[in-house]
Amino acid sequence: MSNTSAKMAMVAYDALDEKLGEDIEILKIDEISVIADYLVIANGDNPNQIRAMLEQVEQRMMEAGFNTKRIEGNAKSTWILMDYGDVIVHIFSREDRLFYDLERIWRDGQKIERGSMTDV
């Protein structure tokens, strides 16, 4: 895991927080998976908020110099996956987040509090 991936996770978290994302979580998965170092998971209240969260993450990550490799889902989706390589951002509707329950699937990952991460 690199300082770059930690910074990417912090930028994504802060962008989601700026758009009032709900229950934002950072899961450190680098010791249990090769797909990424971190998952950042959040949900929104409605399609407009989910779209705003998507756009804010894209903008803040681009400003920080991080380019998305792929985005699955669109403005009308209830689950959007944003792949930044070492960091994967999941934005859900509340219902889909409860249904898919990624936190349970990735329960062996380490939950990281944003406040415990130092800005790099």
Side-chain angles (χ1 to χ4, degrees):
M1 178 193 56
S2 68
N3 284 343
T4 302
S5 61
K7 178 162 176 55
M8 288 171 37
M10 289 186 286
V11 169
Y13 181 103
D14 293 345
L16 293 165
D17 191 48
E18 288 171 13
K19 292 301 177 182
L20 306 177
E22 297 177 346
D23 299 322
I24 307 168
E25 290 195 18
I26 299 172
L27 297 177
K28 185 173 176 269
I29 62 166
D30 64 323
E31 294 179 8
I32 61 169
S33 178
V34 296
I35 66 163
D37 292 341
Y38 294 96
L39 299 179
V40 181
I41 306 168
N43 60 273
D45 264 342
N46 58 62
N48 290 335
Q49 183 185 18
I50 292 169
R51 182 176 61 249
M53 292 164 63
L54 164 70
E55 291 170 357
Q56 189 73 353
V57 171
E58 277 187 303
Q59 179 179 339
R60 294 288 184 243
M61 294 293 265
M62 186 178 61
E63 290 170 356
F66 305 124
N67 295 315
T68 182
K69 295 185 181 303
R70 181 178 69 235
I71 295 177
E72 298 289 333
N74 58 46
K76 296 186 181 347
S77 297
T78 56
W79 179 2
I80 298 169
L81 181 148
M82 305 174 77
D83 183 354
Y84 287 91
D86 292 335
V87 173
I88 299 173
V89 179
H90 296 273
I91 304 172
F92 287 98
S93 67
R94 183 178 290 127
E95 297 78 19
D96 276 7
R97 184 171 184 180
L98 290 171
F99 180 79
Y100 290 104
D101 197 6
L102 292 186
E103 292 89 340
R104 180 187 54 77
I105 295 168
W106 290 99
R107 68 181 169 268
D108 291 337
Q110 178 184 2
K111 184 176 176 182
I112 304 291
E113 296 296 325
R114 170 60 178 97
S116 72
M117 299 177 84
T118 56
D119 290 331
V120 180

PDB file of all heavy atoms in Angstrom, residues 90-104:
ATOM      1  N   HIS A  90     -17.549   3.103  -4.070  1.00  0.00           N
ATOM      2  CA  HIS A  90     -18.903   2.593  -4.295  1.00  0.00           C
ATOM      3  C   HIS A  90     -19.888   3.624  -3.765  1.00  0.00           C
ATOM      4  O   HIS A  90     -19.810   4.004  -2.592  1.00  0.00           O
ATOM      5  CB  HIS A  90     -19.133   1.280  -3.533  1.00  0.00           C
ATOM      6  CG  HIS A  90     -18.275   0.160  -3.992  1.00  0.00           C
ATOM      7  ND1 HIS A  90     -18.639  -0.662  -5.033  1.00  0.00           N
ATOM      8  CD2 HIS A  90     -17.074  -0.291  -3.539  1.00  0.00           C
ATOM      9  CE1 HIS A  90     -17.691  -1.577  -5.195  1.00  0.00           C
ATOM     10  NE2 HIS A  90     -16.733  -1.370  -4.319  1.00  0.00           N
ATOM     11  N   ILE A  91     -20.802   4.064  -4.628  1.00  0.00           N
ATOM     12  CA  ILE A  91     -21.864   4.988  -4.226  1.00  0.00           C
ATOM     13  C   ILE A  91     -23.190   4.276  -4.457  1.00  0.00           C
ATOM     14  O   ILE A  91     -23.479   3.843  -5.573  1.00  0.00           O
ATOM     15  CB  ILE A  91     -21.816   6.304  -5.029  1.00  0.00           C
ATOM     16  CG1 ILE A  91     -20.429   6.960  -4.895  1.00  0.00           C
ATOM     17  CG2 ILE A  91     -22.928   7.240  -4.571  1.00  0.00           C
ATOM     18  CD1 ILE A  91     -20.225   8.150  -5.811  1.00  0.00           C
ATOM     19  N   PHE A  92     -23.970   4.153  -3.409  1.00  0.00           N
ATOM     20  CA  PHE A  92     -25.218   3.397  -3.447  1.00  0.00           C
ATOM     21  C   PHE A  92     -26.419   4.260  -3.093  1.00  0.00           C
ATOM     22  O   PHE A  92     -26.287   5.259  -2.383  1.00  0.00           O
ATOM     23  CB  PHE A  92     -25.198   2.305  -2.357  1.00  0.00           C
ATOM     24  CG  PHE A  92     -24.313   1.145  -2.609  1.00  0.00           C
ATOM     25  CD1 PHE A  92     -23.048   1.079  -2.041  1.00  0.00           C
ATOM     26  CD2 PHE A  92     -24.751   0.073  -3.365  1.00  0.00           C
ATOM     27  CE1 PHE A  92     -22.233  -0.018  -2.231  1.00  0.00           C
ATOM     28  CE2 PHE A  92     -23.944  -1.035  -3.560  1.00  0.00           C
ATOM     29  CZ  PHE A  92     -22.690  -1.081  -2.991  1.00  0.00           C
ATOM     30  N   SER A  93     -27.593   3.782  -3.489  1.00  0.00           N
ATOM     31  CA  SER A  93     -28.813   4.208  -2.834  1.00  0.00           C
ATOM     32  C   SER A  93     -28.825   3.492  -1.482  1.00  0.00           C
ATOM     33  O   SER A  93     -28.133   2.483  -1.296  1.00  0.00           O
ATOM     34  CB  SER A  93     -30.054   3.796  -3.638  1.00  0.00           C
ATOM     35  OG  SER A  93     -30.190   2.377  -3.640  1.00  0.00           O
ATOM     36  N   ARG A  94     -29.569   3.989  -0.541  1.00  0.00           N
ATOM     37  CA  ARG A  94     -29.627   3.359   0.777  1.00  0.00           C
ATOM     38  C   ARG A  94     -30.091   1.908   0.675  1.00  0.00           C
ATOM     39  O   ARG A  94     -29.531   1.011   1.292  1.00  0.00           O
ATOM     40  CB  ARG A  94     -30.559   4.142   1.702  1.00  0.00           C
ATOM     41  CG  ARG A  94     -30.596   3.577   3.124  1.00  0.00           C
ATOM     42  CD  ARG A  94     -31.485   4.383   4.050  1.00  0.00           C
ATOM     43  NE  ARG A  94     -30.876   5.685   4.312  1.00  0.00           N
ATOM     44  CZ  ARG A  94     -31.497   6.840   4.140  1.00  0.00           C
ATOM     45  NH1 ARG A  94     -32.735   6.879   3.722  1.00  0.00           N
ATOM     46  NH2 ARG A  94     -30.885   7.963   4.422  1.00  0.00           N
ATOM     47  N   GLU A  95     -31.106   1.666  -0.155  1.00  0.00           N
ATOM     48  CA  GLU A  95     -31.669   0.322  -0.287  1.00  0.00           C
ATOM     49  C   GLU A  95     -30.664  -0.656  -0.882  1.00  0.00           C
ATOM     50  O   GLU A  95     -30.511  -1.780  -0.402  1.00  0.00           O
ATOM     51  CB  GLU A  95     -32.937   0.349  -1.145  1.00  0.00           C
ATOM     52  CG  GLU A  95     -34.082   1.161  -0.565  1.00  0.00           C
ATOM     53  CD  GLU A  95     -33.916   2.677  -0.736  1.00  0.00           C
ATOM     54  OE1 GLU A  95     -33.122   3.129  -1.606  1.00  0.00           O
ATOM     55  OE2 GLU A  95     -34.553   3.421   0.028  1.00  0.00           O
ATOM     56  N   ASP A  96     -29.966  -0.235  -1.937  1.00  0.00           N
ATOM     57  CA  ASP A  96     -28.984  -1.116  -2.560  1.00  0.00           C
ATOM     58  C   ASP A  96     -27.799  -1.378  -1.635  1.00  0.00           C
ATOM     59  O   ASP A  96     -27.259  -2.480  -1.605  1.00  0.00           O
ATOM     60  CB  ASP A  96     -28.499  -0.551  -3.898  1.00  0.00           C
ATOM     61  CG  ASP A  96     -29.431  -0.899  -5.036  1.00  0.00           C
ATOM     62  OD1 ASP A  96     -30.509  -1.457  -4.793  1.00  0.00           O
ATOM     63  OD2 ASP A  96     -29.070  -0.595  -6.191  1.00  0.00           O
ATOM     64  N   ARG A  97     -27.413  -0.375  -0.867  1.00  0.00           N
ATOM     65  CA  ARG A  97     -26.305  -0.603   0.064  1.00  0.00           C
ATOM     66  C   ARG A  97     -26.679  -1.660   1.093  1.00  0.00           C
ATOM     67  O   ARG A  97     -25.873  -2.550   1.395  1.00  0.00           O
ATOM     68  CB  ARG A  97     -25.914   0.688   0.760  1.00  0.00           C
ATOM     69  CG  ARG A  97     -24.697   0.494   1.654  1.00  0.00           C
ATOM     70  CD  ARG A  97     -24.156   1.768   2.169  1.00  0.00           C
ATOM     71  NE  ARG A  97     -22.954   1.570   2.948  1.00  0.00           N
ATOM     72  CZ  ARG A  97     -22.301   2.560   3.510  1.00  0.00           C
ATOM     73  NH1 ARG A  97     -22.724   3.806   3.342  1.00  0.00           N
ATOM     74  NH2 ARG A  97     -21.224   2.322   4.210  1.00  0.00           N
ATOM     75  N   LEU A  98     -27.872  -1.578   1.610  1.00  0.00           N
ATOM     76  CA  LEU A  98     -28.318  -2.593   2.575  1.00  0.00           C
ATOM     77  C   LEU A  98     -28.405  -3.963   1.915  1.00  0.00           C
ATOM     78  O   LEU A  98     -28.037  -4.982   2.513  1.00  0.00           O
ATOM     79  CB  LEU A  98     -29.670  -2.208   3.172  1.00  0.00           C
ATOM     80  CG  LEU A  98     -29.661  -1.009   4.114  1.00  0.00           C
ATOM     81  CD1 LEU A  98     -31.092  -0.588   4.458  1.00  0.00           C
ATOM     82  CD2 LEU A  98     -28.874  -1.332   5.375  1.00  0.00           C
ATOM     83  N   PHE A  99     -28.891  -4.013   0.686  1.00  0.00           N
ATOM     84  CA  PHE A  99     -29.057  -5.274  -0.012  1.00  0.00           C
ATOM     85  C   PHE A  99     -27.712  -5.946  -0.313  1.00  0.00           C
ATOM     86  O   PHE A  99     -27.519  -7.134  -0.050  1.00  0.00           O
ATOM     87  CB  PHE A  99     -29.842  -5.067  -1.313  1.00  0.00           C
ATOM     88  CG  PHE A  99     -30.060  -6.334  -2.092  1.00  0.00           C
ATOM     89  CD1 PHE A  99     -31.054  -7.222  -1.723  1.00  0.00           C
ATOM     90  CD2 PHE A  99     -29.263  -6.639  -3.179  1.00  0.00           C
ATOM     91  CE1 PHE A  99     -31.254  -8.401  -2.433  1.00  0.00           C
ATOM     92  CE2 PHE A  99     -29.449  -7.814  -3.901  1.00  0.00           C
ATOM     93  CZ  PHE A  99     -30.453  -8.698  -3.514  1.00  0.00           C
ATOM     94  N   TYR A 100     -26.778  -5.192  -0.888  1.00  0.00           N
ATOM     95  CA  TYR A 100     -25.498  -5.773  -1.294  1.00  0.00           C
ATOM     96  C   TYR A 100     -24.517  -5.928  -0.135  1.00  0.00           C
ATOM     97  O   TYR A 100     -23.649  -6.787  -0.166  1.00  0.00           O
ATOM     98  CB  TYR A 100     -24.869  -4.972  -2.434  1.00  0.00           C
ATOM     99  CG  TYR A 100     -25.640  -5.136  -3.711  1.00  0.00           C
ATOM    100  CD1 TYR A 100     -26.470  -4.137  -4.178  1.00  0.00           C
ATOM    101  CD2 TYR A 100     -25.564  -6.316  -4.440  1.00  0.00           C
ATOM    102  CE1 TYR A 100     -27.197  -4.290  -5.348  1.00  0.00           C
ATOM    103  CE2 TYR A 100     -26.282  -6.483  -5.612  1.00  0.00           C
ATOM    104  CZ  TYR A 100     -27.103  -5.466  -6.051  1.00  0.00           C
ATOM    105  OH  TYR A 100     -27.818  -5.637  -7.206  1.00  0.00           O
ATOM    106  N   ASP A 101     -24.628  -5.094   0.886  1.00  0.00           N
ATOM    107  CA  ASP A 101     -23.892  -5.223   2.146  1.00  0.00           C
ATOM    108  C   ASP A 101     -22.404  -5.537   1.934  1.00  0.00           C
ATOM    109  O   ASP A 101     -21.891  -6.554   2.402  1.00  0.00           O
ATOM    110  CB  ASP A 101     -24.551  -6.295   3.018  1.00  0.00           C
ATOM    111  CG  ASP A 101     -24.123  -6.193   4.472  1.00  0.00           C
ATOM    112  OD1 ASP A 101     -23.407  -5.240   4.832  1.00  0.00           O
ATOM    113  OD2 ASP A 101     -24.511  -7.095   5.250  1.00  0.00           O
ATOM    114  N   LEU A 102     -21.716  -4.641   1.221  1.00  0.00           N
ATOM    115  CA  LEU A 102     -20.295  -4.857   0.951  1.00  0.00           C
ATOM    116  C   LEU A 102     -19.468  -4.936   2.229  1.00  0.00           C
ATOM    117  O   LEU A 102     -18.461  -5.647   2.272  1.00  0.00           O
ATOM    118  CB  LEU A 102     -19.738  -3.737   0.063  1.00  0.00           C
ATOM    119  CG  LEU A 102     -20.248  -3.684  -1.369  1.00  0.00           C
ATOM    120  CD1 LEU A 102     -19.496  -2.615  -2.139  1.00  0.00           C
ATOM    121  CD2 LEU A 102     -20.127  -5.024  -2.060  1.00  0.00           C
ATOM    122  N   GLU A 103     -19.889  -4.239   3.262  1.00  0.00           N
ATOM    123  CA  GLU A 103     -19.147  -4.286   4.518  1.00  0.00           C
ATOM    124  C   GLU A 103     -19.118  -5.712   5.082  1.00  0.00           C
ATOM    125  O   GLU A 103     -18.119  -6.126   5.673  1.00  0.00           O
ATOM    126  CB  GLU A 103     -19.745  -3.326   5.551  1.00  0.00           C
ATOM    127  CG  GLU A 103     -19.566  -1.866   5.207  1.00  0.00           C
ATOM    128  CD  GLU A 103     -20.688  -1.266   4.365  1.00  0.00           C
ATOM    129  OE1 GLU A 103     -21.441  -2.019   3.703  1.00  0.00           O
ATOM    130  OE2 GLU A 103     -20.832  -0.044   4.370  1.00  0.00           O
ATOM    131  N   ARG A 104     -20.182  -6.458   4.882  1.00  0.00           N
ATOM    132  CA  ARG A 104     -20.203  -7.853   5.339  1.00  0.00           C
ATOM    133  C   ARG A 104     -19.292  -8.698   4.458  1.00  0.00           C
ATOM    134  O   ARG A 104     -18.504  -9.506   4.943  1.00  0.00           O
ATOM    135  CB  ARG A 104     -21.626  -8.417   5.316  1.00  0.00           C
ATOM    136  CG  ARG A 104     -21.696  -9.887   5.791  1.00  0.00           C
ATOM    137  CD  ARG A 104     -23.075 -10.498   5.616  1.00  0.00           C
ATOM    138  NE  ARG A 104     -23.599 -10.385   4.258  1.00  0.00           N
ATOM    139  CZ  ARG A 104     -23.225 -11.138   3.223  1.00  0.00           C
ATOM    140  NH1 ARG A 104     -22.313 -12.065   3.364  1.00  0.00           N
ATOM    141  NH2 ARG A 104     -23.758 -10.956   2.030  1.00  0.00           N
TER     142      ARG A 104
END
